[in-house]
Amino acid sequence: MNLQDADREVLEAAARWVAAGSSAWLYTVVRTWGSSPRPLGSMLALREDGRMAGSVSGGCIEDDLIDRVRREGIGIVKPEAVKYGITAEEAHRFGLPCGGTIQLVLEPLTEASGIRTLLETVERGALVARTLDLASGRATLGPANATDGVDFDDTRLLTIHGPRYRMLVIGAGQLSRYLCQIAVGLDYQVTVCDPREEYTDTWDVPGTALVRTMPDDTVLDMKLDERCAVIALTHDPKLDDLALMEALKTRAFYVGALGSRRNNAARRERLKEFDLSDAELVRLHGPVGIYIGSRTPPEIAVSILAEVTAAKNGVSLPTILQVEGAKAAREQAASVGSSCDV
């Protein structure tokens, strides 16, 4: 399992600069108010000559930080918190939309910061909590849960670092091609499983790993955790159900299957025969994806990944029945309004 690309770039640069004896600082987004161009936990490593890795604002604040380092240096010896975009004028100057404000923790880096140890631990596949004490500048590492997030109380900063999110796609058909292309762009580590030679022989999506093993064996081999999603797209119960019966027993944050409501109802009945509990079955997203009126494979891929993204971010979405019910209500209201106007 690999560290997410954005985090790897920052940590590798920071560790390299510290090892070379350069002065370097790590900036972390810890709070935001209003609109913010980067999420909590975003990092920027900055070297004394202005070279940087990562981003905390998409460019606007970075320019100011680099300019200050080159002109004045950073004369601090322990971490401190700074804010950008407090006034409307500053928000306009730094490009923060709608008067947004972000707070950063600025941390001078030394060997004691443990960046190299953090990087090596995460690259081994561990999910790590890094706790920085602002008073002493000391950082410690410990285990973390996938549901943990950035926590800052003005004296202590806790950040979570871990391997990339993984996605297992069952089936190497046309829809899978579009879905995997987008998933790679979303920084998922994508594995495609399909034992059918007629599909795998022509698979050529860059950035994905292809396996030809049986889906249930693949699920077991991957040892799925809270940072994994499984999407069954073959339309073949013999393949999809094998993957689902094992995936629903894991801690994967998302398990979904393609098909109509009728087919998914039948699938749930079949899965009961594999001794899956009601609690496990209720985790199945089927029909997979959110309702956006999608028709073509690219549109369906977008709808699926939108639902996966919502699940990953802990956002609740209306079910297809709720969406269709609301649509019917709107159509009925429009019909009543139209008849009243006649």
Side-chain angles (χ1 to χ4, degrees):
M1 291 182 287
N2 297 319
L3 181 65
Q4 295 186 50
D5 288 341
D7 287 353
R8 183 195 300 111
E9 176 191 1
V10 174
L11 296 180
E12 286 183 344
R16 186 169 61 251
W17 296 339
V18 170
S22 300
S23 295
W25 300 267
L26 182 67
Y27 295 82
T28 304
V29 178
V30 296
R31 286 182 183 142
T32 64
W33 295 267
S35 299
S36 173
R38 298 289 286 139
L40 295 181
S42 297
M43 298 183 297
L44 166 72
L46 181 61
R47 198 168 66 178
E48 56 192 340
D49 60 357
R51 186 170 181 180
M52 68 176 187
S55 172
V56 291
S57 74
C60 44
I61 291 176
E62 286 84 345
D63 291 343
D64 182 70
L65 295 175
I66 292 171
D67 180 64
R68 289 190 181 187
V69 166
R70 287 174 173 169
R71 286 188 295 104
E72 307 168 9
I74 302 180
I76 65 169
V77 295
K78 64 180 182 180
E80 65 178 39
V82 296
K83 287 183 181 179
Y84 276 89
I86 298 175
T87 67
E89 180 180 352
E90 289 174 319
H92 177 73
R93 175 187 173 195
F94 295 117
L96 295 174
C98 304
T101 301
I102 67 172
Q103 185 172 28
L104 310 173
V105 164
L106 164 58
E107 175 189 356
L109 295 178
T110 66
E111 290 287 354
S113 301
I115 298 299
R116 174 59 63 184
T117 302
L118 171 62
L119 182 62
E120 293 172 349
T121 304
V122 172
E123 287 290 7
R124 291 196 296 268
L127 190 62
V128 182
R130 181 176 187 263
T131 303
L132 174 67
D133 179 70
L134 270 67
S136 66
R138 172 177 292 183
T140 57
L141 304 180
N145 298 314
T147 54
D148 293 337
V150 176
D151 183 35
F152 178 61
D153 64 3
D154 296 319
T155 62
R156 178 192 66 102
L157 169 61
L158 182 143
T159 53
I160 306 300
H161 308 268
R164 294 168 63 189
Y165 277 82
R166 294 183 291 159
M167 180 177 293
L168 172 59
V169 178
I170 309 302
Q174 184 187 36
L175 173 57
S176 296
R177 288 178 178 274
Y178 289 105
L179 184 139
C180 290
Q181 288 170 355
I182 303 172
V184 168
L186 292 172
D187 203 26
Y188 281 93
Q189 183 178 337
V190 180
T191 299
V192 178
C193 173
D194 199 327
R196 303 170 300 179
E197 292 184 2
E198 60 270 27
Y199 287 90
T200 57
D201 285 349
T202 58
W203 183 263
D204 59 356
V205 177
T208 64
L210 177 66
V211 297
R212 296 177 172 84
T213 50
M214 293 303 293
D216 52 336
D217 292 333
T218 304
V219 170
L220 294 174
D221 290 343
M222 289 183 65
K223 296 180 174 58
L224 305 178
D225 57 24
E226 300 96 330
R227 290 195 162 206
C228 295
V230 179
I231 307 171
L233 300 177
T234 71
H235 272 307
D236 184 343
K238 295 190 298 295
L239 298 178
D240 287 348
D241 290 4
L242 284 173
L244 296 171
M245 73 177 185
E246 296 297 345
L248 290 169
K249 299 175 185 177
T250 72
R251 295 176 295 165
F253 76 88
Y254 182 93
V255 180
L258 190 67
S260 65
R261 276 176 288 170
R262 180 178 178 181
N263 287 340
N264 272 281
R267 174 181 285 117
R268 286 181 170 86
E269 293 300 316
R270 292 195 303 270
L271 290 174
K272 287 181 181 179
E273 299 177 6
F274 292 106
D275 295 326
L276 287 172
S277 67
D278 290 340
E280 290 167 337
L281 286 173
V282 78
R283 298 182 56 231
L284 176 62
H285 293 263
V288 70
I290 65 173
Y291 180 75
I292 57 174
S294 52
R295 296 275 188 251
T296 66
E299 291 178 343
I300 296 171
V302 169
S303 77
I304 294 172
L305 289 171
E307 185 175 61
V308 173
T309 302
K312 173 176 173 285
N313 294 334
V315 176
S316 298
L317 294 173
T319 66
I320 182 66
L321 293 177
Q322 291 172 322
V323 172
E324 291 184 347
K327 179 182 178 182
R330 289 195 301 269
E331 291 175 348
Q332 183 179 14
S335 175
V336 170
S338 176
S339 62
C340 292
D341 291 337
V342 175

